[in-house]
Amino acid sequence: MQKIKSLMARQGLKSPQESMADLSPVENLRIPSKEELRELREQTIDPQAEQEIIDSIEEVYFSNDSFDMVQHELEKLPPELNLQELEEYRDKLKRQQAAVSKKVADLILEKQPAYVKELERVTALQTNLQLAAVICTNARRQLSVSKEGFTEASLGLLANQRRRQLLTGLLKSLRTIKTLQRTDVRLSEMLEEEDYPGAIQLCLECQKAASTFKHYSCISELHSKLQDTLEQIEEQLDVALSKTCKHFDVLHYTKVQLAYTLLGKTQTAMDQLHMHFTQAIHNTVFQVVLGYVELCAGNADTKFQKMQYKDLCTHITLDSYIPCLTDLCKALWEVMLSYYRTMQWHEEHDKQENTPAPDDAAAESDEIVDRSYVKKKLEHGLTRIWQDVQLKVKAYILGTDMSNFQYDDFIVVLDVISRLMQVGEEFCGSKSEVLQESIKRQSINYFKNYHRARLEELRMFLENETWELCPVKSNFNISQLHEFHFMGQCRSPSVSPSRQAVSLTSPAKDQLSLFRQYLQEGNPFEMHIEHKEEETEDVLASNGYESDELEKSVYQDYDSDSDVPDELKQDYVDEQTGDAPLKSVSRETIRSKKKSDYNLNKTNAPILTNTTLNVIRLVGKYMQMMNILKPIAFDVIHCVSQLFDYYLYAVYTFFGRNDMYESSGLGLISSRLRTTLNRIQESLIDMEAVGENPGVHGPVEDRKEKVPSPHLSQMVVLTNSGTLYGLAQRVVATESLVFLAEQFESLQSHLDTMMPAAKKPFLQQFYSQTVSTASELRKPIYWIVAAKAIDYEQMLVMMAGVKWDIREIMSQHNVYVDVLLKEFEQFNKRLGDVSRHVRIPLPVSNVLWEHCIRLANRTLVEGYANVKKCSNEGRALMQLDFQQFLMKLEKLTDLRPIPDKEFVETYIKAYYLTENDMEQFIKNHREYSMKQLANLVNVCLGSHINKKARQKLLAAIDDIDRPKR
């Protein structure tokens, strides 16, 4: 150990104890002495036992450096000391110390080489550090020289230059900041000038500049202020956008769209635009209706402003309804036109847009997305906006009960709504179901009340009608009545009257849509007023005739008719035009006409009454309503048919109803006409109103649709033989009905185009079973005149006094033939007298003559059938009488062939038939009565028929008669 220490001393190294004390002050263990180490080495202790001794050392000895072992051991001593125990404890501690010392010695010896090696490294490090200190000293000396010769001279200049550049940049920044602070004034000016794109561009540039200089504390406040200004600009831009909803201006809208593009909010702008359009529709209609309501209310009460729009519509008065509706549609038109022009602007803008540069692919993609969004949004908005318009107008339509409107006012309402639906169809292709349904509800409600009132009015007209001729021009046609102007003005029934006016005045424009026609100025809802003012008609004949006294007397009598109610006269008094009088028909022309045509003047002038004219006007009004509003077409046509039904029934009831029909055997009323009359009576005539069959015709609800049967005016006398039993009135009534039927026939194709396909069979049935039967009323009506005009009973009495069982051929006919012909001549003269007041058309005169001749011929047969005895010479006399009658009759009438001529001749010739032929004759000729056939058999008895044959023939007659019983 001593050698080791000496070696270390020579090398300048410290001993391990010293080194440990210097290097690690953590713990300073006592190093065993040489003797102790030797003793420790000499001692042979089992390593396991040694480890157990070390483990038995208290833990506290290993705790820290400040541990006082002596104090610790002293504190452990018991109060009473025992030497032996102390010595034992001391020995134990020694053993523990020896074990620890031995362990330490072993460890020291074990680590000695590493320790030596580490000491060598430390020595080398110390040498290097000394060299580094020398190098540093030299470097400091050289740096000092450099500082004096280079840095203070050259780099000082560079530093000053750099500082100058920084200050220059700072000055520029300060000037920019000063400019930014002054932008507020310029922005306000630009906003006042509505230069939104410029303001936004300036604001965005300022924001960009502000973000560049945000490191300056003064800029942070300016940046937030610019953000507020930008938001303010957006708000003003939104207000500017809303202005385009009512009055679209291209320049204004272009600015607004460019501004939104700069903001990058094109899609947002489109969303906002649609919201503004919706709001504009609501505000517009509310303000229009509110204005009218407050105007009519006449006070300053503001309760109306707090009302809902739907409730506000119920306060519109009847007088202000149409002006308010017109203004409402005008205002909505402006909104829709603005939307149309907005779409037009976007379409043109898309076409003119330049293609972006190829390197700007991202911007191009964004722009395509924006355009696609805008296009879809605009197309979708069409339907939404039209739906809003429909709902607003629907609320207005249904807010008022229109059942008490005047007809012309209601037609104007229909016209306006029809025009609005046309706008909707052109706007977005909509069929306007909402508007159609609402106006249909109002129309049905209105039309039921209107039609009921018109039927009652028609009954009053008919009951006050004196069946005098209404003086219309010879070329009169229903198209001349202003109620039928719409038919000549429209190419198809789907065009509204106001649009028809446009097509007349400007055919070139008719091809354009409403939006193109009124793109720059005007309004389609102003047309109906002009249309109404232009309606004129010229259908009534002038009262200033020339020299023809006959013609003059006709119309003087008519005009002086004080019994015609004022309501009936109004149609022609107000509408006369004072045209130059038509030349009267000369007397030579009258004489040259066929004797059967008792038309003394105005050959082509139609025969009609004021009531007929009134019915025609009503039909025109009904068709106008149906033309404008097709959903109620069937209801209207049904009511049109009722007008005709009631007129036909009235004419039949006044002039044609007679119990003698059935007994005449002439078949005056066809089964079709009888069915029609029965149908009209059951469906339209209220029989309970006149006390007929009370309680049979159902409850009061069913009777609401029925009208009481009309009564003939007391001013009409049908029993005077001097006037041929009211023939003039009968002609006017019947021929006016025929004229009415002809007008209905001319309207059939037009009505057919309006009628729904499912209801067309009703129209066809109405024409085939009702309209076409009008002319069939001539037979029963004129038969009554024919039956009374000639005294057939007198002829039977005279024929009974003739002797027919003569034995020689007579050359002179009997007196009754002359009497009968004289009756016909008198009848002919009376017809001429009547024709001076009313033109008797050829079909009427033919029917009259046919009835008279038929009745005369049947009277002849009846007279011949009353003969008890007759010879062959008597039968020849019958033929002579009949031939004389025919010869003279043919000079009175142009009717060919003579009616029932064979009826008489066949009966006379039957006298000569054999038994077998007579039996066949009886079977084949059912037109003769049983009495006439039986008399024929009885008169033949004895001449060429025996009693047995007589019984057989009478039995055959009885068999024929039996089924009738």
Side-chain angles (χ1 to χ4, degrees):
M1 179 58 75
Q2 199 66 32
K3 290 181 181 178
I4 294 173
K5 285 185 178 180
S6 62
L7 180 61
M8 291 174 62
R10 281 198 301 272
Q11 295 177 349
L13 300 176
K14 295 181 181 180
S15 65
Q17 294 95 328
E18 295 170 340
S19 299
M20 289 177 67
D22 292 338
L23 297 174
S24 178
V26 176
E27 185 179 4
N28 190 9
L29 296 176
R30 188 177 67 83
I31 304 300
S33 64
K34 184 171 66 175
E35 292 79 8
E36 289 173 342
L37 287 172
R38 187 172 57 249
E39 289 176 3
L40 290 171
R41 283 195 302 271
E42 290 174 355
Q43 292 175 2
T44 56
I45 302 175
D46 185 18
Q48 185 175 1
E50 183 182 353
Q51 188 62 37
E52 288 177 358
I53 293 171
I54 292 172
D55 292 340
S56 66
I57 299 173
E58 292 183 31
E59 191 69 28
V60 71
Y61 285 97
F62 300 101
S63 58
N64 52 37
D65 298 336
S66 61
F67 174 63
D68 190 353
M69 294 176 287
V70 177
Q71 183 68 26
H72 176 69
E73 289 300 332
L74 288 176
E75 288 176 355
K76 286 176 59 178
L77 293 176
E80 293 181 3
L81 301 175
N82 187 329
L83 182 61
Q84 186 177 355
E85 290 178 358
L86 287 174
E87 288 179 350
E88 289 177 359
Y89 187 66
R90 184 194 62 186
D91 295 338
K92 179 182 177 182
L93 290 175
K94 283 185 177 181
R95 285 194 300 274
Q96 290 178 345
Q97 184 184 14
V100 168
S101 297
K102 186 175 185 302
K103 186 71 172 175
V104 170
D106 291 341
L107 289 173
I108 289 172
L109 291 174
E110 184 181 344
K111 300 294 183 181
Q112 186 69 26
Y115 173 72
V116 173
K117 187 177 179 180
E118 191 65 30
L119 281 177
E120 290 175 354
R121 290 179 61 194
V122 169
T123 304
L125 179 63
Q126 186 177 9
T127 304
N128 291 336
L129 286 173
Q130 290 172 350
L131 179 60
V134 173
I135 293 171
C136 285
T137 303
N138 294 334
R140 285 178 185 275
R141 186 173 61 254
Q142 290 172 359
L143 280 172
S144 177
V145 174
S146 298
K147 180 179 180 183
E148 293 174 1
F150 176 72
T151 305
E152 291 180 356
S154 303
L155 291 182
L157 293 174
L158 291 174
N160 289 336
Q161 177 63 25
R162 182 173 177 273
R163 189 179 298 109
R164 180 183 176 185
Q165 288 178 343
L166 289 173
L167 290 173
T168 304
L170 178 62
L171 180 61
K172 185 178 179 182
S173 298
L174 290 173
R175 285 174 178 167
T176 306
I177 291 169
K178 185 179 180 181
T179 306
L180 288 175
Q181 289 175 334
R182 291 179 179 175
T183 53
D184 268 353
V185 179
R186 180 58 188 150
L187 281 172
S188 300
E189 292 175 357
M190 296 177 89
L191 289 178
E192 288 178 6
E193 296 168 1
E194 294 188 348
D195 185 10
Y196 303 109
I200 290 172
Q201 187 74 38
L202 179 59
C203 197
L204 290 175
E205 288 175 0
C206 290
Q207 273 193 329
K208 186 177 180 181
S211 63
T212 305
F213 302 110
K214 64 183 177 182
H215 49 280
Y216 297 109
S217 58
C218 61
I219 291 296
S220 59
E221 183 180 346
L222 177 63
H223 190 275
S224 62
K225 189 175 182 180
L226 284 172
Q227 186 62 35
D228 293 341
T229 305
L230 192 61
E231 291 176 2
Q232 182 184 352
I233 292 174
E234 283 192 43
E235 290 176 5
Q236 292 195 23
L237 193 59
D238 193 51
V239 173
L241 184 65
S242 67
K243 291 179 182 178
T244 64
C245 295
K246 291 186 180 179
H247 303 288
F248 183 87
D249 181 75
V250 175
L251 295 176
H252 179 78
Y253 189 74
T254 304
K255 286 181 182 178
V256 172
Q257 279 296 321
L258 181 57
Y260 273 111
T261 304
L262 289 173
L263 289 173
K265 294 186 175 182
T266 307
Q267 296 186 12
T268 306
M270 210 30 62
D271 295 338
Q272 288 294 106
L273 183 65
H274 281 81
M275 184 188 72
H276 287 313
F277 267 105
T278 303
Q279 191 66 29
I281 290 171
H282 174 76
N283 292 342
T284 299
V285 297
F286 188 84
Q287 290 303 321
V288 170
V289 177
L290 178 66
Y292 276 92
V293 170
E294 288 183 340
L295 183 66
C296 297
N299 55 34
D301 192 357
T302 57
K303 65 177 182 179
F304 296 117
Q305 296 196 9
K306 298 177 182 178
M307 281 188 177
Q308 293 290 328
Y309 169 74
K310 191 174 182 181
D311 298 329
L312 195 64
C313 290
T314 61
H315 289 78
I316 289 288
T317 61
L318 297 183
D319 293 338
S320 61
Y321 187 87
I322 291 178
C324 183
L325 175 63
T326 306
D327 286 349
L328 199 65
C329 291
K330 285 180 182 178
L332 289 171
W333 162 260
E334 293 295 338
V335 176
M336 288 187 284
L337 181 62
S338 294
Y339 194 87
Y340 176 82
R341 295 187 67 185
T342 303
M343 290 192 68
Q344 203 175 41
W345 184 92
H346 280 280
E347 288 175 5
E348 293 174 0
H349 183 70
D350 289 346
K351 291 177 184 176
Q352 295 172 359
E353 193 71 30
N354 294 326
T355 306
D359 57 345
D360 199 9
E364 182 183 5
S365 176
D366 292 342
E367 190 174 346
I368 291 173
V369 170
D370 282 347
R371 284 188 199 173
S372 175
Y373 180 84
V374 168
K375 185 177 180 181
K376 288 180 180 177
K377 191 77 176 176
L378 284 170
E379 290 175 353
H380 180 65
L382 283 171
T383 308
R384 277 186 54 198
I385 287 174
W386 178 240
Q387 193 68 14
D388 288 343
V389 170
Q390 283 193 92
L391 292 174
K392 297 299 181 187
V393 179
K394 175 188 177 183
Y396 183 82
I397 292 172
L398 298 180
T400 302
D401 182 10
M402 298 188 202
S403 57
N404 296 319
F405 271 34
Q406 293 293 325
Y407 173 80
D408 289 338
D409 291 340
F410 191 74
I411 284 295
V412 170
V413 173
L414 290 184
D415 186 21
V416 172
I417 299 302
S418 174
R419 174 55 59 98
L420 186 62
M421 287 193 284
Q422 182 188 345
V423 169
E425 187 168 356
E426 293 181 3
F427 187 65
C428 61
S430 169
K431 296 301 180 184
S432 307
E433 290 83 0
V434 174
L435 278 179
Q436 284 195 22
E437 182 58 32
S438 57
I439 201 65
K440 180 181 179 182
R441 281 170 56 187
Q442 284 285 34
S443 298
I444 290 176
N445 181 35
Y446 172 81
F447 195 72
K448 283 183 178 179
N449 291 334
Y450 182 79
H451 178 62
R452 176 69 189 174
R454 297 293 77 75
L455 279 177
E456 288 292 344
E457 187 180 274
L458 178 57
R459 181 167 74 94
M460 181 195 72
F461 269 66
L462 289 167
E463 291 183 346
N464 289 279
E465 178 64 70
T466 54
W467 302 102
E468 297 289 343
L469 198 63
C470 179
V472 294
K473 291 188 172 183
S474 59
N475 63 347
F476 170 75
N477 188 281
I478 60 171
S479 61
Q480 298 165 2
L481 300 175
H482 68 75
E483 285 86 357
F484 290 91
H485 279 187
F486 73 95
M487 289 179 61
Q489 292 164 350
C490 62
R491 297 176 183 175
S492 67
S494 62
V495 185
S496 69
S498 51
R499 191 175 186 189
Q500 295 147 13
V502 176
S503 66
L504 279 183
T505 55
S506 53
K509 285 188 177 180
D510 193 44
Q511 304 299 324
L512 298 176
S513 70
L514 290 175
F515 286 96
R516 292 186 180 178
Q517 281 180 310
Y518 302 99
L519 187 63
Q520 299 300 330
E521 59 181 356
N523 196 299
F525 295 99
E526 294 170 352
M527 292 302 298
H528 71 277
I529 300 172
E530 300 169 12
H531 176 68
K532 189 175 180 181
E533 289 173 353
E534 291 172 1
E535 289 177 345
T536 57
E537 64 182 32
D538 180 15
V539 298
L540 297 158
S542 171
N543 286 336
Y545 298 101
E546 292 181 342
S547 59
D548 196 326
E549 295 298 324
L550 292 176
E551 192 167 20
K552 190 181 294 184
S553 66
V554 171
Y555 295 106
Q556 282 175 349
D557 289 346
Y558 181 83
D559 290 335
S560 64
D561 184 11
S562 60
D563 299 317
V564 179
D566 290 338
E567 300 93 336
L568 303 184
K569 291 181 179 178
Q570 196 66 36
D571 274 330
Y572 59 86
V573 172
D574 288 347
E575 295 168 355
Q576 286 179 356
T577 58
D579 282 358
L582 297 171
K583 289 187 177 180
S584 302
V585 182
S586 67
R587 295 180 183 274
E588 289 76 10
T589 306
I590 295 172
R591 292 193 193 100
S592 66
K593 285 193 169 293
K594 288 184 177 181
K595 295 176 182 179
S596 297
D597 188 354
Y598 293 86
N599 173 22
L600 296 182
N601 47 55
K602 290 198 168 196
T603 308
N604 297 320
I607 298 176
L608 69 159
T609 66
N610 276 304
T611 306
T612 319
L613 202 57
N614 180 59
V615 172
I616 292 173
R617 289 185 186 279
L618 274 181
V619 171
K621 290 179 178 180
Y622 282 21
M623 289 179 65
Q624 269 186 333
M625 194 177 299
M626 177 169 50
N627 190 52
I628 296 172
L629 198 66
K630 291 185 179 54
I632 64 165
F634 173 70
D635 303 271
V636 177
I637 289 180
H638 179 67
C639 293
V640 167
S641 72
Q642 287 187 341
L643 293 175
F644 186 84
D645 287 347
Y646 196 67
Y647 194 90
L648 183 145
Y649 186 82
V651 171
Y652 165 73
T653 305
F654 293 167
F655 304 105
R657 181 180 282 173
N658 195 293
D659 296 333
M660 296 171 63
Y661 287 154
E662 305 300 333
S663 60
S664 69
L666 295 175
L668 297 173
I669 296 186
S670 66
S671 59
R672 184 176 62 164
L673 179 58
R674 188 178 302 281
T675 303
T676 298
L677 292 169
N678 290 336
R679 177 187 61 77
I680 296 172
Q681 182 169 304
E682 290 175 6
S683 63
L684 189 60
I685 307 302
D686 184 6
M687 303 305 293
E688 291 187 39
V690 292
E692 297 182 22
N693 301 327
V696 176
H697 294 278
V700 179
E701 289 75 10
D702 294 340
R703 292 178 56 195
K704 284 182 180 178
E705 304 297 328
K706 296 184 177 183
V707 190
S709 180
H711 300 286
L712 184 63
S713 170
Q714 294 180 354
M715 301 302 298
V716 181
V717 179
L718 302 178
T719 56
N720 187 353
S721 60
T723 60
L724 270 180
Y725 306 96
L727 178 61
Q729 288 82 2
R730 292 177 190 273
V731 169
V732 171
T734 310
E735 298 314 303
S736 67
L737 175 64
V738 173
F739 175 79
L740 187 61
E742 290 171 355
Q743 305 316 306
F744 268 78
E745 292 285 356
S746 69
L747 295 174
Q748 182 176 5
S749 60
H750 195 84
L751 292 174
D752 191 64
T753 59
M754 298 181 181
M755 188 65 117
K759 301 292 184 180
K760 285 189 177 182
F762 167 82
L763 187 66
Q764 294 166 358
Q765 186 177 15
F766 167 66
Y767 271 92
S768 62
Q769 297 186 6
T770 305
V771 176
S772 61
T773 61
S775 59
E776 295 181 15
L777 274 182
R778 284 171 172 162
K779 283 188 176 182
I781 290 174
Y782 296 135
W783 181 86
I784 296 174
V785 176
K788 295 179 179 180
I790 294 174
D791 191 352
Y792 303 102
E793 292 297 328
Q794 178 191 1
M795 190 170 62
L796 282 176
V797 172
M798 292 184 69
M799 290 178 71
V802 175
K803 184 176 175 64
W804 300 103
D805 55 347
I806 54 177
R807 295 301 176 188
E808 59 182 15
I809 300 295
M810 302 295 291
S811 61
Q812 183 65 32
H813 60 271
N814 284 303
V815 180
Y816 74 86
V817 175
D818 294 328
V819 173
L820 181 59
L821 288 170
K822 190 175 181 181
E823 288 272 346
F824 272 100
E825 288 173 0
Q826 186 66 25
F827 173 69
N828 191 26
K829 181 176 178 299
R830 287 180 180 178
L831 283 180
D833 294 339
V834 172
S835 68
R836 293 175 183 174
H837 296 279
V838 176
R839 174 175 68 88
I840 300 179
L842 183 61
V844 176
S845 62
N846 285 346
V847 169
L848 283 167
W849 277 101
E850 181 183 350
H851 281 330
C852 288
I853 295 170
R854 282 185 186 279
L855 285 169
N857 286 338
R858 288 172 183 271
T859 304
L860 288 174
V861 172
E862 187 66 22
Y864 297 152
N866 289 334
V867 175
K868 301 299 180 183
K869 293 181 180 180
C870 181
S871 61
N872 289 339
E873 291 78 7
R875 288 291 168 178
L877 182 57
M878 289 180 185
Q879 289 180 338
L880 177 65
D881 290 346
F882 186 59
Q883 291 302 321
Q884 180 67 21
F885 172 67
L886 290 179
M887 182 179 66
K888 294 291 180 68
L889 185 64
E890 286 175 352
K891 294 179 181 179
L892 292 175
T893 178
D894 291 324
L895 191 63
R896 300 292 185 274
I898 298 297
D900 280 353
K901 175 183 174 183
E902 294 80 6
F903 184 78
V904 181
E905 291 176 342
T906 303
Y907 189 80
I908 295 173
K909 293 175 182 177
Y911 178 80
Y912 303 105
L913 296 176
T914 61
E915 177 187 342
N916 292 334
D917 291 338
M918 180 67 75
E919 186 176 359
Q920 193 63 36
F921 177 87
I922 290 170
K923 291 179 181 180
N924 294 339
H925 292 273
R926 303 286 182 92
E927 67 269 22
Y928 299 107
S929 66
M930 299 301 107
K931 174 195 167 187
Q932 291 168 351
L933 292 174
N935 183 268
L936 191 62
V937 173
N938 288 328
V939 170
C940 292
L941 181 66
S943 60
H944 53 276
I945 294 178
N946 53 34
K947 287 186 179 181
K948 185 177 180 181
R950 173 178 172 270
Q951 293 297 330
K952 182 180 179 182
L953 291 173
L954 290 177
I957 294 171
D958 191 55
D959 289 341
I960 294 171
D961 185 45
R962 189 174 291 119
K964 298 179 182 179
R965 296 173 188 170

